[in-house]
């Protein structure tokens, strides 16, 4: 079930079909590197933990029904997950593009000011700010309701509105 990592930069698309019905443990791999022009496709019902960065143009697990966990988002990969309860973790001061698909999905944010970064966040139901000191621009989280998750009373989330744009921040749909 476990790999130390996957490197295959001379292919167009790496497909991982997660069908280990005999095991209830998640498949685990280290970093996945297929090059920034290539893609990773994940299908199947088993869970997958990626303990490291994914270097690819796309990481498409929209057909996966197991939980997908990625420990280091980056600026070069567009991430899409499927119907499992997925968890994607920011690697820090980086741009990223994430779409959690169906399921109850969590975006774990590093203690970072992301307000000047390019973030695309879709279908992520939980924003985890356990690292405390997270700053987002209102435009980055506009149009979706979130549960804000933190682990102690000292955790903070700041949301900045852009001056002179008429931007409105509505946090009535958060919990």
């Amino acid at each position: 079930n476990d790999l130390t990592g996957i490197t295959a930069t001379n292919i167009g698309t790496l497909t991982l079909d997660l069908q280990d019905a005999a095991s209830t443990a998640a498949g685990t791999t280290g970093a996945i590197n297929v090059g920034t022009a290539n893609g990773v496709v994940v299908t199947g019902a088993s869970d997958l933990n990626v303990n490291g960065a994914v270097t690819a143009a796309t990481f498409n697990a929209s057909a996966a029904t197991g939980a997908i966990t990625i420990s280091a988002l980056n600026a070069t990969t567009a991430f899409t997950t499927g119907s499992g309860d997925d968890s994607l973790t920011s690697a820090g001061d980086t741009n990223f593009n994430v779409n959690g698909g169906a399921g109850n999905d969590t975006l774990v944010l590093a203690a970072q000011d992301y307000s000047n970064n390019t973030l695309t966040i879709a279908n992520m139901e939980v924003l985890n700010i356990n690292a405390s000191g997270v700053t987002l621009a209102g435009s980055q989280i506009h149009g979706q309701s979130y549960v804000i998750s933190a682990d102690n009373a000292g955790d903070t989330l700041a949301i900045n509105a852009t001056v002179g744009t008429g931007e409105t921040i509505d946090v009535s749909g958060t919990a």
Side-chain angles (χ1 to χ4, degrees):
N1 283 342
D2 296 338
L3 300 170
T4 56
I6 300 170
T7 300
T9 57
N10 293 324
I11 62 169
T13 302
L14 171 68
T15 300
L16 303 173
D17 187 18
L18 308 174
Q19 298 293 342
D20 189 356
S23 175
T24 57
T28 300
T29 182
I32 298 175
N33 181 356
V34 297
T36 57
N38 304 317
V40 176
V41 173
V42 179
T43 61
S46 296
D47 297 345
L48 174 66
N49 294 331
V50 179
N51 295 325
V54 175
T55 302
T58 58
F59 181 94
N60 185 347
S62 60
T65 58
I68 305 296
T69 301
I70 299 174
S71 67
L73 297 177
N74 61 53
T76 61
T77 306
F79 294 91
T80 303
T81 60
S83 61
D85 293 342
D86 309 308
S87 179
L88 307 176
T89 300
S90 166
D93 186 14
T94 187
N95 302 324
F96 55 81
N97 179 339
V98 296
N99 183 334
N104 188 26
D105 307 305
T106 300
L107 177 60
V108 181
L109 297 166
Q112 183 64 50
D113 181 349
Y114 295 96
S115 61
N116 292 317
N117 294 53
T118 302
L119 307 183
T120 302
I121 303 170
N123 298 311
M124 301 301 292
E125 289 72 31
V126 178
L127 297 180
N128 179 312
I129 60 165
N130 287 354
S132 193
V134 175
T135 302
L136 297 168
S139 60
Q140 293 167 327
I141 59 172
H142 175 74
Q144 186 171 333
S145 296
Y146 298 98
V147 172
I148 307 301
S149 170
D151 62 357
N152 70 53
D155 292 331
T156 60
L157 169 65
I159 302 172
N160 295 339
T162 304
V163 175
T165 64
E167 183 176 66
T168 301
I169 300 172
D170 179 359
V171 294
S172 62
T174 60

